[in-house]
Structure formats: C-alpha cells, structure tokens
Amino acid sequence: GAASAPAASTAPGGGAGEAARDGGTLRLPGESPLTLDPALVGDVTSAEYIYEVFSGLVTLSPELEVVPDLAEDWDQSADGTVFTFTLRSDAVFHDGTPVTPEDVAFAIERACDPATGSTVAETYLGDVVGCVDKLAGRTTSVAGARVLDPRRLELTIDAPKAYFLPKLTYPTSFVVDRRQVATDPRWLDAPNGTGPFRLTEYVEGETLTLDRADAHAGAGGAAHLDAVVYDLRPIDPLTRYENGELDATPVGGADVERVRDPLGHLASEVVEGSGDLGLSYIGFNVTV
C-alpha cells in the first residue's frame, strides 16, 4: 500500500494554535478496513483504526521517537540482544482487566503461528529468536519471548539491531485479549483492546465508530474526544464537508486551488502544514 500527504485539509476555524478541548464527537471521512486484526494488518487504511483500538509495548511520539506505551520502561543488555520490558502497573484492557506479560507473549506467539496467516510477522518480529522457526513450522513456540514475572517480559533478538524497537511500534505485536480470542470467533466485531478508543460499531461501507476508552493508560493518557465517527461511504469527502456532514477532510490536488481561493467560502477553513508521514511509489512490472 501507499499513502501520500494531502496538500491541505479543511476544518472549521483552522484550528491552528488552539488548546486541546475535552468532549465531543469528531466526524471524519474513511475507508473500510481490510482487517482489524493487528497481527495481519499490512495496509494504511486498516492501521488507522488498529492504532486507536490496540496498542503495544512502545509507540512513536509526535517527534517520531520510540517512547513507552504499555511498557513503562525497558533495559537492554550490554551486547544489545536482550530487552527486558516492565509493564505499566495501570495498563488494562478496555474491560478493566490488567495487561500482563503473558498477554504480550501471547500476541507475539499468535502473530508467529503459521495458522494465523500473518504476512508481516517475519518482517516485524523476525529478529526475535525463534520467530522464523515457528513461522516455518519447525518449532511450536518463540524461544526469544519469555515471561519473567508478573510485570516483566524479556525479548531476545538474534543480533544487535538499532531498528528493533522502532519495529515494535508497528501493530504486528500489539496486545490482543487471549481469553476473547480463544472463546469468541467473532472477537473482532468488538475487540477488547488496550488502545485509547473502543470499536463500538462497524457497518462495512457505511460507518465505523470509536468511543473513548476511559481506562486507557498508555502514552498520552485518555483521549480528549468522546468519540470519532468515520463516514465510509464512497462520496467525495469535500462535498460531504461542505454539506456539514464532516468536521474535517483532506483536500485532494484537484480541489486545492478552489479551497485556497480567498474569495471562496472555504479559504478561512484551510489548514496547511508539512503533511502526513507517508510513502508514495510506482511499481513497474519489469518482466513485461
């Protein structure tokens, strides 16, 4: 998949420099996700929702630095191959159940299970000792993921790698409720995640609703918004914004000049910045 940054976006009042406000429902345009399973996600659209519903040991700050999330801190061995994570004492699932090192280990074991069918597990977890062997069916467990005690988990990688921690910010290793996964074949309809929002409604091609998870205790704490509602209908989002159906929308290249027009009714609502972090590419079939 590829994601490109919009040249501009629209939102009432612009929003530049405004302080964070609590409450309210934000209405945004969206697309139907290909999956809501953290172990399977490989596309930008699905990840947008998964990052809100689920979380992992670490995350990226707005400055793109690796910072604690479910883990409150970690230690690295002198040779750079053993990471010991200590979980936050207040880390809980949406239903209030405490998050344990066993839950983190389960997520890694599940992602590396061939039966799960993850196409990204080797990319993001292949450094962990035993991951590749389990994916290949040579072992039944990931030797490098070890629970030490009720608060600590140890991950051993096959060589010192500066990029290992940043890879853990991708959803492949994000925590899922092992009890829910084991007993409910439709667990993704209402996943008991650990992220700042709960998935409360999803109608494919229509709407996806996220409500604030008040118990969330990861990076940044609880969300400011009460809810976010994504409009998934295949209707031009700028048209929906102008009709008052959305609170904000990206602006595509075809509409940039129109919304920037100082004589137009949208000019005062345009917010322009450096854009989103993304990658655009063209792939050529060089065999034809």
Side-chain angles (χ1 to χ4, degrees):
S4 57
S9 61
T10 54
E18 288 186 15
R21 292 174 293 175
D22 289 315
T25 296
L26 180 65
R27 301 170 301 167
L28 297 174
E31 297 178 30
S32 294
L34 297 178
T35 181
L36 290 171
D37 188 333
L40 302 182
V41 63
D43 67 292
V44 174
T45 297
S46 301
E48 181 176 359
Y49 310 120
I50 287 173
Y51 273 114
E52 304 300 340
V53 177
F54 301 92
S55 60
L57 292 168
V58 292
T59 188
L60 290 176
S61 73
E63 293 74 35
L64 303 183
E65 298 171 336
V66 177
V67 294
D69 201 356
L70 291 177
E72 66 179 16
D73 59 35
W74 59 86
D75 295 316
Q76 188 174 1
S77 62
D79 68 355
T81 63
V82 181
F83 293 81
T84 303
F85 296 89
T86 301
L87 296 187
R88 300 172 60 106
S89 60
D90 55 356
V92 295
F93 289 94
H94 292 159
D95 68 354
T97 304
V99 177
T100 68
E102 285 84 2
D103 295 314
V104 181
F106 171 80
I108 293 172
E109 294 280 4
R110 177 176 177 270
C112 297
D113 188 337
T116 302
S118 176
T119 61
V120 293
E122 184 171 355
T123 298
Y124 291 99
L125 293 172
D127 308 310
V128 179
V129 172
C131 171
V132 174
D133 288 333
K134 182 168 181 176
L135 283 167
R138 293 188 290 268
T139 62
T140 58
S141 63
V142 178
R146 193 163 70 96
V147 174
L148 299 181
D149 57 44
R151 292 276 303 283
R152 295 187 303 151
L153 174 84
E154 181 181 273
L155 295 182
T156 302
I157 59 177
D158 54 15
K161 297 169 182 177
Y163 51 77
F164 175 65
L165 278 178
K167 290 206 290 188
L168 291 184
T169 67
Y170 192 77
T172 312
S173 61
F174 281 12
V175 171
V176 295
D177 184 349
R178 52 198 164 102
R179 294 156 291 270
Q180 185 185 30
V181 173
T183 60
D184 184 2
R186 296 180 59 89
W187 67 276
L188 284 171
D189 290 349
N192 188 31
T194 58
F197 287 89
R198 297 179 294 108
L199 175 66
T200 53
E201 183 183 39
Y202 171 43
V203 180
E204 186 173 357
E206 295 288 337
T207 186
L208 187 150
T209 302
L210 303 177
D211 287 332
R212 180 176 58 215
D214 292 327
H216 176 68
H224 291 284
L225 291 164
D226 292 328
V228 182
V229 177
Y230 290 90
D231 186 337
L232 310 179
R233 295 175 298 161
I235 305 171
D236 176 49
L238 187 58
T239 299
R240 283 178 282 169
Y241 176 84
E242 292 183 276
N243 290 340
E245 299 171 12
L246 298 174
D247 297 312
T249 181
V251 177
D255 295 304
V256 168
E257 293 308 313
R258 179 170 73 86
V259 302
R260 282 177 175 160
D261 184 350
L263 299 179
H265 66 287
L266 293 175
S268 63
E269 301 179 9
V270 175
V271 179
E272 299 196 50
S274 57
D276 299 326
L277 178 68
L279 173 69
S280 298
Y281 60 86
I282 300 174
F284 292 96
N285 183 349
V286 297
T287 65
V288 176

